[in-house]
Every structure is written in structure tokens, then in C-alpha cells.
Amino acid sequence: MLVDVSVPEVGIDSLTYESDTELRAGTRVIVEVVRTKYTGFVLGQSKAKLPPNVTVKPIEGVIDDSMVISPDVWDLAVWSSRVIMCGMSKALKAALPSAFYTGEKVNPPPEYEMSSRSFNERDFFNPFDSERVNFFLDELDSNLRTLILFPKKDEAKSFFTSLPEALKSQAILWSSESPKLWEAWKAIHSGKVRIVVAPPGGVFVPLVPEKIIVEDEANPAYIIPYTLNLSARSIAGHRAVFLKAELILAGRIPSLKTHIRTRPREVLRPERKNIVLADIHHSRKERIDGIKGTIPLTYTLTSRTHKELGQGHNVIWLLNRTGESSEVFCENCGESVKCPKCGGVMQSRNDGNLMKCRHCGMIRDLPPKCEKCGYDFLSGKRPGLDTLAKIAGKYFPDVHIYDEYSEISAMKGLILSTKRGLELCGKIDPSLVAWLDLDSELWRPEHTNRFNVYSMLLESYWRGRTRDSDRKILIQARRKGMRLAEFLAGGWTRFINDELRTRRDFMLPPYGYIVEVECSGKILREEIMDSLMDAGIFVMDPGEDDQPLYVSTESLEAVRKILEPKIFLRNTKKQYIKITVVSE
């Protein structure tokens, strides 16, 4: 009997081996790949039609007597690999701890009595964090196996810590760190845990849940980028359907997919009196020597800040650029100074004497002259938080910059931060949150960016807020940012409908898919582009050989038929094809 086997450890999706016995899909086996033995997963009986003179290697051994992965987790891996064309090896790596690939002994999962109910979906969209937490606690009080997901591990940990002891004794906090991950996996797999609190990667936990709760379901942090590039929310929804479980989607604002499907009710909108708009054209253009660009400070911003600080309140200013400047460049040739370690852009620190890589964090001295043309005058570009602190210090006596090293209890008065400062809103309850340059948040080319920025505006208004709070948000912007900010008082229903109209016109997700195709070599690139266009599939070509091709399509099946055979034939050391599917 011939069987197909996936070998995640070496990234091979399907190899054909010979077996003396019938093996069930999901069974782990030992196979030889290029004279080395690995753990593989049986995909099923092979349909390959091999020539009679081809020798097929035998399976070296069988690790499991029966399937040790719960059927719903195996189904998730199969489904994920099909939806985003990533292959089973990548899907299995995302779904299972690495101990599975080393042949670690695993007992079969317990036999659960499956619910006779049908799949059910509910939602709870409420802007107040405390009211959503109380709702979750009520849901956990039922005697059902429950998986509750949070977009970030700190939020999952905070919720788990706050659980009453009666619930905490039945719960476990999912960790992605080894060896904690393996210990947590075994504890859940044994059936001794009823509640799992987890960040996005915990969507594959072996709980066989009867109820799945997804908090802040529209948050882009649910995308699992390095493995599947697929939202954990979508995976949770598919799992709930497979298990006939209950799915509860919650948050301040629904995702576009959820809005299309269920049209959830908007219970409360921000009050117009608490939304302050300041036109960035009417502002002081504060400059610092040696740095190109300005930081706009409107009179509305400084006067409102003075008023709130004078009353003993906390104020947060948000500018999503760290360092003194976000980039160091040559005045003569325009070339940016690059990190010698990773090639990333360097930002200015320590009064221009040091530079820090924005990508890997490497620190180096400022070179005496341009390393490309030899010109001896380097400047900063686009001032960041360190420069803002110097400027703000002229107007206000006590200014703090919030970063990963800051002590929360010391954060009082005027606090400067990147978008990370949004987490402060729930901890110090500022009376004013100011976005200094909203347009700079909107320049990114991703089709999801406008929705993400709007969600952050809502977060700055609602996060940590109570019903008697009088927090205000102040938005400095130009025309584009102003238009987005004006949707706040109109409510997210109005904004989402406007966003969906634009997405529908251009067939962007959720109405279609974007497929990003990276490949090696100009010849292979042209071959792929010709094959897609011959099939009537529109291809967007940036024009550079080292840039990906982009395909916008309503259906992935036509794209899959063309690309899958090429992936199988071309993925070698010399040639590769990498596919990324964007569906969110």
C-alpha cells in the first residue's frame, strides 16, 4: 500500500512511501528523507500513479498505534493548508508542539461525548472593557469546555490572573514558550482542564471545546503571520462549526466579515463633545537642528493639555515614531544609513551620536561621513518621540516617554508614546488622548490600514473607560485623517458600511482574496505570470524582479490549480515559490 506523508521538520508537504499495513490519516510514522530519519504524518492513501520501474522507500516504523491528534485539530490543519495554500507541513507546525516531530510519546485523546446541538453563533459588542469581562465570567460559569482567545498574550494573562479561584482551578493559561507549551498541551490533552485562556496561537489547543469566545475579534493581532498568515478568529470559527460548538465574537467593533454575516447592533457611540478635531495646517511647525521635518503642535493641543494637567489629570500624546528621528540619511546622495547586521534603516539616538536599527535593534556610532558617497553631513528625517520630548519640555515641565522599560506607576502627567501607549489607557485612565499626526498612520499601503486606524481611534476613546468617565480624544490631521475622524461620532456601523463599499468596488477582502507570489529568478517569475494571465487571472506586477506578484481573485481554486503543480516541481535549493494568501 502506498501512503502520502508530510514531514514538517524539513518542510516537505507530501512524499510517497510504501506501508505493509493500512494507516489512518494523522498517524505519526518514521520515514527516511535523504538518508536521515524524521517523524512524518500520514496524509492518507496515495493517489500517485508511479511508473513500474520506480522504487518506493518503505516506512521505517510506526510511532502511534492510533491517531493521537483530536479529529478537529487535524481538520483545522487540513483546512488551513487548503485555504491559504501553505501546505500541510506548515499547517502542522502551527497546530502542534515541536515535541510531536521528535517522536515524543503521546496518549490517545480522551473520548468526549459530543454535543447533539447544532453550531450556534452569538456576539457581544460593547465598548466598555469591564462589562465585556463580566460577560465572559458569566459565560465561563457554565459547565462547558471553553476556549477564550485574546489578541495579545498580556491581555490573556491579565484576564487569567483576574479569574475567581473557583474558575481558575479549572483553567490553564496557554503559553507559546517551551517547555511550558508542551506541559500545557499534555495537561489539556489529558482532559483535566475545562477552560483554556490563550493568545491567538492557542486556537489549536487540544481541548475539543464546546464553546469558543474570541475577544476583540477585529484586532489584526489575530493574524498568525510567521506560520499561516490566517486569522485565529477564522480558524476558531471553522473549528466551532466542525465541533458544532457555540462561537461568541466580542469586542468594541466587529470585523468586516462579522458585520457582513450577522449585522451586530451598535450599543453606544462616542459623544461628539468628547472628540476634538484640530487642523494640522494651523499649527506651530516645531523644528530641531539636524532633523528634516517638523512636529505640528496646534494651539488646541497645547491649550487642552495645559487645562487637563492643571486639573491633575494624565494626558497621552501619541506619535508612532521612536528615537530622535526615524531615519538617518545623507544630504548629498539621499542614501539612508543601513544596519550592517540586517540592512534595516537606522534611527537617530543620543543627540545624533548613536543610531539604532528599527528592525533588529543593533546600536552603532554615527559614521563621520556617508558610507556611499563620502559626504560629511548626515541628517535625521521625520522627528520621533525623543525630539518631541525636547519640544514638549518647552511648554510643560514634566514629560515622560513610555516604552517597554517604563514603570507604569511612575507614568503621570504628560506621557509621550507610540501606539503602544494605548495599553496605558486601561491602566492610568487619561483624561485626554491626543493623536499628533493621524495622517502618518494612514499612509501605509495595506488595504486593511484604514480599518485598523479607525479601530485604534475607538480604542483610545474606550479602553479602560467607565460609564462616568469624561475622557476626550484630540486628533491633529489633514483632510484624509479628518474624514476618518469624523466617522467616530457617526458610529462604527456607518464607517464599516463606507469601508465595505470601497472594498467591494475593488474586490478586496472580504469580497475576494489577495495572493502574493514570491519566486526566485526572472524566468520562473515570467512563467508564473504568463500562466496566470493565460487563465484570465489579473496579475499586478510592481515591475521589479525582486518584488512579489499580486493576484486579486474572487476564488482561490483557479489560482491553486496553476500554482500547486509549480510549487511541487520548483521548490528546491535553487528555485522556490512562496505563496501568501490574504483573506482578512
Side-chain angles (χ1 to χ4, degrees), residues 509-527:
Y511 297 105
Y513 300 89
I514 296 175
V515 183
E516 182 180 299
V517 184
E518 298 177 66
C519 57
S520 58
K522 184 176 181 180
I523 295 174
L524 179 56
R525 176 189 176 87
E526 290 177 352
E527 179 186 323

Side-chain angles (χ1 to χ4, degrees), residues 319-501:
L319 181 69
N320 205 34
R321 298 193 293 267
T322 57
E324 292 164 340
S325 66
S326 62
E327 186 176 340
V328 178
F329 76 108
C330 174
E331 290 269 11
N332 182 51
C333 68
E335 184 73 11
S336 298
V337 180
K338 299 294 176 61
C339 173
K341 183 178 178 181
C342 72
V345 174
M346 306 291 287
Q347 58 183 203
S348 173
R349 295 291 178 98
N350 193 28
D351 292 325
N353 296 313
L354 293 176
M355 297 184 300
K356 182 177 181 179
C357 177
R358 282 161 40 183
H359 180 67
C360 71
M362 178 184 178
I363 294 176
R364 61 173 293 198
D365 293 332
L366 183 76
K369 56 186 178 182
C370 176
E371 294 168 330
K372 182 178 181 181
C373 72
Y375 192 65
D376 60 358
F377 192 75
L378 299 173
S379 294
K381 186 186 294 185
R382 302 179 73 232
L385 284 180
D386 291 348
T387 299
L388 177 61
K390 295 176 184 177
I391 295 171
K394 295 191 298 184
Y395 298 93
F396 309 101
D398 196 16
V399 178
H400 305 273
I401 294 180
Y402 176 62
D403 57 27
E404 62 267 31
Y405 308 109
S406 298
E407 180 62 45
I408 300 286
S409 59
M411 292 283 102
K412 297 187 183 300
L414 176 58
I415 300 150
L416 315 180
S417 180
T418 62
K419 290 183 292 189
R420 240 183 127 254
L422 292 174
E423 65 189 34
L424 278 175
C425 293
K427 297 174 181 176
I428 65 170
D429 193 19
S431 63
L432 177 68
V433 179
W435 294 81
L436 267 60
D437 189 359
L438 187 65
D439 298 87
S440 65
E441 297 298 319
L442 291 167
W443 71 268
R444 294 176 178 81
E446 293 91 348
H447 71 279
T448 58
N449 193 47
R450 189 166 175 264
F451 181 89
N452 293 341
V453 172
Y454 183 81
S455 299
M456 288 191 297
L457 290 178
L458 281 181
E459 184 177 359
S460 66
Y461 185 89
W462 291 116
R463 184 163 182 169
R465 193 186 188 108
T466 59
R467 285 194 176 266
D468 59 353
S469 172
D470 196 38
R471 181 190 302 167
K472 300 172 180 61
I473 61 171
L474 187 150
I475 299 165
Q476 292 190 154
R478 302 172 185 82
R479 183 177 177 181
K480 188 175 181 181
M482 283 289 188
R483 185 170 184 274
L484 182 67
E486 286 166 358
F487 276 111
L488 286 173
W492 53 252
T493 301
R494 181 170 161 238
F495 166 75
I496 288 178
N497 287 334
D498 181 80
E499 180 74 1
L500 286 173
R501 279 192 292 271

Side-chain angles (χ1 to χ4, degrees), residues 77-309:
V78 173
W79 175 77
S80 301
S81 69
R82 291 288 296 169
V83 166
I84 58 172
M85 295 186 282
C86 68
M88 274 298 285
S89 64
K90 199 171 184 180
L92 287 169
K93 269 199 165 183
L96 300 171
S98 59
F100 264 92
Y101 320 134
T102 59
E104 192 86 23
K105 184 66 177 175
V106 181
N107 295 322
E111 292 288 336
Y112 289 109
E113 184 178 337
M114 301 308 295
S115 171
S116 59
R117 299 176 301 179
S118 58
F119 166 74
N120 177 48
E121 180 178 341
R122 290 190 286 138
D123 61 61
F124 187 76
F125 291 100
N126 184 305
F128 295 107
D129 301 341
S130 59
E131 295 182 16
R132 292 199 309 281
V133 167
N134 290 334
F135 170 79
F136 300 150
L137 293 176
D138 289 341
E139 291 295 326
L140 293 179
D141 260 335
S142 67
N143 201 32
L144 301 176
R145 294 185 301 276
T146 304
L147 168 63
I148 178 166
L149 295 171
F150 290 84
K152 298 177 182 177
K153 63 180 180 181
D154 290 345
E155 294 172 4
K157 183 178 180 180
S158 176
F159 178 78
F160 178 81
T161 304
S162 69
L163 287 175
E165 284 304 318
L167 289 175
K168 191 179 289 186
S169 63
Q170 306 173 61
I172 194 168
L173 176 64
W174 180 255
S175 172
S176 59
E177 301 172 2
S178 297
K180 291 181 180 179
L181 182 147
W182 182 232
E183 295 304 317
W185 193 96
K186 288 190 293 185
I188 299 167
H189 182 70
S190 69
K192 298 176 182 178
V193 175
R194 184 177 73 82
I195 300 168
V196 177
V197 182
V203 71
F204 294 103
V205 294
L207 179 69
V208 190
E210 298 165 281
K211 182 187 294 184
I212 301 177
I213 302 171
V214 186
E215 157 63 343
D216 195 9
E217 61 101 12
N219 198 311
Y222 276 115
I223 302 292
I224 308 176
Y226 301 112
T227 49
L228 296 179
N229 202 49
L230 183 64
S231 173
R233 180 204 65 237
S234 297
I235 299 171
H238 181 83
R239 191 174 192 183
V241 171
F242 181 90
L243 291 171
K244 297 181 180 179
E246 184 171 40
L247 176 67
I248 301 175
L249 301 176
R252 301 180 190 92
I253 179 176
S255 64
L256 299 183
K257 282 187 174 181
T258 299
H259 185 76
I260 290 173
R261 193 173 60 254
T262 62
R263 299 285 173 179
R265 185 171 67 92
E266 186 172 12
V267 297
L268 196 63
R269 299 174 183 173
E271 293 186 72
R272 188 172 291 277
K273 69 181 182 67
N274 289 331
I275 303 169
V276 183
L277 303 182
D279 192 331
I280 213 167
H281 291 294
H282 307 295
S283 62
R284 304 180 186 91
K285 301 297 192 295
E286 298 284 357
R287 298 178 182 275
I288 292 289
D289 290 342
I291 298 178
K292 295 283 185 180
T294 62
I295 294 181
L297 301 180
T298 61
Y299 173 76
T300 304
L301 171 69
T302 54
S303 62
R304 292 273 183 154
T305 301
H306 267 298
K307 179 181 177 181
E308 299 299 331
L309 293 177

